[in-house]
Amino acid sequence: METIVALCKRRGFIFQSSEIYGGLNGFFDYGPLGVELKKNIRDCWWNDMVRRRDDVVGIETSIIMHPKVWQASGHVDGFTDPLVDCKASKQRYRADQLFFSPVVVDGTVVAYVSALESERTTAELQEAAEALKRKRGIQGKLEPVQPRDMTEAKAEEIALIPSPATGEPGSLTPPRAFNMMFETNVGALRDASSVAYLRPETAQGMFVDFKNVVDTGRVKLPFGIAQIGKSFRNEITPRNFIFRSREFEQMEMEYFIHEDADWSKCHQEWIEWCKQWLISVGLPESHLSLYAHPKEKLAFYSKGTVDIMFKYPFGVQELWGIAARGNYDLGQHATASGKPQEIFDEATKKKFVPHVIEPAVGVDRIFLAVLCAGYAEEEVTDEKGNAEKRVVLRLSPRVAPVKVAVLPLLKNKEALTQRAQALYRKLQRRYAVFYDESGAIGRRYRRQDEIGTPWCVTIDFDTVEKDGTFTLRERDSMQQRRISEAELFALSEETVY
Ligand code: GAP
C-alpha cells in the first residue's frame, strides 16, 4: 500500500485534502491523472449500466434532501456504527474493528489483550498474550487466543480489556451507537427546524424520484434507475487510503421488479453482471470473491446481500454490495409522505409496490482496486543492455488515464515534431493523450509505463519520409511494431470503449 500511496502522490493521482494545512482525515483530492482515471471508471459504468441497456435510466439528485427522507429510510435512527472511546487517550474506535481475547493459562483467565482489526489480528493477539505471560513471569500452559470484537464483550470484561492506545485496561467505554450522517443547516436559521443531512448514500434519490421517473413514461417493469454521485459518512475510523473515507463517490442502481418476480434469479444475474463488469475494467478474476451475508445478520427487510470482495494489499474487503431489499424503501416513503409508490399491473388489474435489487459500489474503491491490481515492478534491460527496474501500471485501456503517448524521436527535427503534433491533436479529440519530446526514448516509455499508458507511438524519419507508419510500443509486452494511423485508431477504438 505504501508503494501505491507514494506513486499516487508522485505522479499526481491522489493528494491528501488540504495538505498544506496538515490534511483532513478521511478526505482526498484527485490530481490531474487521478481525475482522468476516475472519470473513465465512471464513464465505463455509465455507458455499460445506462446507455447500453434498454432497461436502465439515469438520474442525478441533490446531495441535501428533505430530512424526512432520512427519517423514512431509517438512517436518522439506525445509520450507526458502534463506537468505543478510550477515556485516557481520547482515541475512538469502531467496536467491531477492535478485537480482544482473554489470556488463559492452565484454564484460568489471567488478563486480556487487544488488537485492531488487520490481516494478522489473531496472530497479534497471540503474540500479545505470549508477551504478557513472559513479562509477568506466569508459569503454565497458554491456551490459543479466542478473538472477539468489542460488540461481543460482556459488561464485566470491558474494564479488563486494554486500550490499544495506552496498552492499559480501564479506559475503554462500552460500545454506543454513533450516527454517521453529517449534519448541516439549511437557510438562515440555525435551529432544530433547519437541520438537514449530507446524503450517506445516493440510493434514496432513486426511491424518492421513483414516481417521477415512472410518470415520464419511458420505463416498464423490470427497470432500473441509476445514479453516480458523492456520498458522505462521518466514519469513525477512515482508513486504508481511499478505501474508507468520509467523502466518497457511489455508483448505485435500483432495479425494480414485480412483487411476484423471481427475485433470487434476478439477484444472481446482477451479481454476475457486476463481476463481469469489474473484469471488463481490468480486475483479475482471481482477486474477486463473493461473500453472502449470513441470514441472521441481514436487516429484517432484506432478502439477501452478496458482496463482491477484492483482494486488496491490506486484505480481502468489500468492493460491491448487491442487495435484495424487497419493497422496504418504496413502502417507507409511501407511508411517510402519504404518496402511494405503486405500479399498476395490467395482467392482474391490481396495484403493487415493486421490489428492488440494488447493486451499490464506490468509485474510489474501484479506483484503488484497479491501481493495486495493475501495479507491478519488473527487472528489464535498457537500450544499453543494463538491467533496470521498471514500474508499470497494467491498467485496462478502458480506464487508463492517458490512452496514447505521442513521442517524436527527436525534438529538434521540425518534420518529426510537426507530424507528431498533428497526430496528437487528432487523437486528443477522442480521449486523453500525452505529447512528450524530452529525454531519451527509453526514459519516455518508462514515464508512461508508470502511469499506465497502454500505447506509445514514436514518430521517426520513416514516418515522414516513407509510408507514414510509426512505431507502436505496447506497455505490457514492451513489443514494438509498425502501424498506420488508421490501424492505431481502430486498435484504440476497439479496446478503449
Ligand atoms: N445504498 C446501499 C449502500 O450504500 P453500502 O454497502 O453502505 O450500501 C455501497 O455502500 C458501496 O459504497 C460499498 O460497497 C463501497 O464500495 C462504497 N462505500 C461505502 N462506504 C464507503 C466509504 N466510507 N468510503 C469509500 N467507499 C465506500
Side-chain angles (χ1 to χ4, degrees):
M1 270 311 288
E2 275 137 43
T3 318
I4 302 274
V5 174
L7 174 78
C8 282
K9 163 117 200 201
R10 190 172 68 246
R11 297 309 311 265
F13 282 96
I14 298 172
F15 311 122
Q16 222 186 343
S17 163
S18 324
E19 195 182 308
I20 57 167
Y21 292 102
L24 188 60
N25 197 8
F27 296 89
F28 293 92
D29 295 342
Y30 286 80
L33 287 177
V35 81
E36 289 291 339
L37 172 51
K38 199 168 181 216
K39 181 180 183 321
N40 293 340
I41 293 171
R42 264 192 242 118
D43 287 351
C44 284
W45 188 89
W46 192 261
N47 286 336
D48 294 338
M49 180 62 93
V50 181
R51 293 199 176 151
R52 291 172 187 159
R53 292 188 68 106
D54 298 328
D55 56 352
V56 179
V57 294
I59 55 168
E60 188 174 305
T61 66
S62 64
I63 286 175
I64 296 179
M65 303 168 79
H66 198 294
K68 282 188 180 165
V69 169
W70 306 108
Q71 275 151 17
S73 66
H75 284 81
V76 170
D77 290 331
F79 194 59
T80 57
D81 267 345
L83 171 78
V84 167
D85 282 297
C86 167
K87 287 179 285 183
S89 67
K90 308 287 177 237
Q91 291 279 342
R92 297 188 138 183
Y93 303 99
R94 238 177 79 173
D96 56 347
Q97 292 173 353
L98 174 47
F99 283 78
F100 70 95
S101 170
V103 179
V104 184
V105 180
D106 286 342
T108 305
V109 177
V110 295
Y112 281 79
V113 285
S114 63
L116 292 173
E117 183 184 42
S118 74
E119 277 283 88
R120 297 191 67 251
T121 309
T122 306
E124 276 178 26
L125 288 172
Q126 189 65 41
E127 285 158 17
E130 283 161 15
L132 183 136
K133 179 172 174 274
R134 246 191 338 268
K135 199 168 152 204
R136 295 201 190 165
I138 302 169
Q139 301 299 315
K141 186 172 172 292
L142 176 70
E143 290 177 17
V145 290
Q146 289 176 351
R148 279 179 285 149
D149 71 51
M150 285 294 286
T151 62
E152 301 164 298
K154 296 189 193 115
E156 63 274 18
E157 287 179 310
I158 289 173
L160 306 172
I161 298 168
S163 157
T166 62
E168 296 299 325
S171 63
L172 294 178
T173 63
R176 65 185 166 89
F178 172 79
N179 195 299
M180 290 194 288
M181 281 199 293
F182 280 103
E183 267 185 34
T184 185
N185 294 83
V186 174
L189 270 183
R190 282 186 182 269
D191 62 11
S193 70
S194 66
V195 167
Y197 305 96
L198 302 192
R199 68 179 172 202
E201 61 170 25
T202 59
Q204 293 306 319
M206 276 80 97
F207 295 124
V208 171
D209 270 346
F210 172 73
K211 271 304 220 180
N212 282 335
V213 173
V214 169
D215 293 345
T216 59
R218 280 189 56 198
V219 292
K220 246 171 60 203
L221 281 187
F223 72 90
I225 310 180
Q227 152 156 244
I228 301 179
K230 289 263 181 152
S231 292
F232 303 82
R233 297 183 188 178
N234 197 3
E235 297 280 356
I236 299 169
T237 48
R239 59 180 181 163
N240 291 326
F241 199 30
I242 54 170
F243 177 81
R244 177 168 288 114
S245 42
R246 289 177 166 142
E247 173 177 338
F248 55 99
E249 201 162 1
Q250 287 187 308
M251 306 194 288
E252 297 197 278
M253 196 274 295
E254 306 300 327
Y255 197 71
F256 297 98
I257 56 177
H258 196 284
E259 59 178 349
D260 298 330
D262 183 347
W263 69 266
S264 173
K265 181 163 168 268
C266 185
H267 191 212
Q268 284 307 320
E269 284 166 1
W270 276 110
I271 295 166
E272 188 53 28
W273 189 95
C274 297
K275 196 174 146 200
Q276 290 309 324
W277 188 86
L278 290 171
I279 294 169
S280 84
V281 293
L283 298 190
E285 196 169 0
S286 58
H287 283 44
L288 301 172
S289 54
L290 299 182
Y291 169 75
H293 289 224
K295 284 232 155 34
E296 63 278 9
K297 290 212 170 163
L298 293 174
F300 70 90
Y301 54 82
S302 176
K303 298 181 165 197
T305 298
V306 170
D307 291 337
I308 302 181
M309 313 291 282
F310 181 77
K311 198 166 154 227
Y312 289 97
F314 45 85
V316 174
Q317 296 282 342
E318 173 189 338
L319 174 56
W320 199 330
I322 302 112
R325 298 178 63 97
N327 60 8
Y328 173 77
D329 301 271
L330 286 181
Q332 288 290 101
H333 289 304
T335 311
S337 67
K339 311 248 164 44
Q341 301 294 311
E342 296 165 328
I343 269 193
F344 183 70
D345 185 352
E346 289 290 347
T348 60
K349 305 286 179 218
K350 270 179 24 199
K351 285 182 176 170
F352 66 93
V353 182
H355 287 222
V356 78
I357 306 289
E358 176 195 74
V361 68
V363 183
D364 316 76
R365 283 200 189 172
I366 297 175
F367 189 110
L368 186 58
V370 157
L371 283 188
C372 294
Y375 185 89
E377 288 176 13
E378 297 174 346
E379 181 120 323
V380 291
T381 322
D382 71 8
E383 293 132 27
K384 294 182 186 137
N386 301 320
E388 66 169 5
K389 187 176 97 176
R390 167 170 107 119
V391 170
V392 55
L393 271 185
R394 298 185 194 282
L395 303 181
S396 152
R398 296 194 78 196
V399 297
V402 175
K403 309 298 181 196
V404 180
V406 182
L407 321 172
L409 186 62
L410 298 170
K411 89 172 185 195
N412 53 3
K413 291 281 177 251
E414 210 176 305
L416 300 186
T417 53
Q418 266 180 6
R419 177 70 188 91
Q421 277 282 340
L423 178 66
Y424 170 64
R425 296 276 168 226
K426 214 163 165 184
L427 287 166
Q428 215 175 33
R429 297 165 72 99
R430 293 174 190 230
Y431 29 63
V433 281
F434 196 81
Y435 178 83
D436 188 3
E437 54 181 28
S438 62
I441 200 79
R443 274 241 295 291
R444 283 186 263 169
Y445 286 156
R446 292 287 178 273
R447 288 203 285 261
Q448 296 304 317
D449 290 343
E450 205 184 35
I451 62 167
T453 308
W455 303 287
C456 290
V457 292
T458 305
I459 312 299
D460 54 23
F461 291 105
D462 281 357
T463 316
V464 289
E465 287 166 8
K466 287 191 182 161
D467 54 3
T469 63
F470 28 72
T471 305
L472 178 94
R473 186 262 195 184
E474 282 173 345
R475 178 196 63 205
D476 296 346
S477 64
M478 294 190 290
Q479 287 193 340
Q480 303 186 9
R481 63 192 157 101
R482 300 297 293 185
I483 189 171
S484 69
E485 190 173 303
E487 283 168 329
L488 173 68
F489 274 98
L491 171 72
S492 51
E493 194 80 17
E494 233 170 65
T495 44
V496 166
Y497 298 109

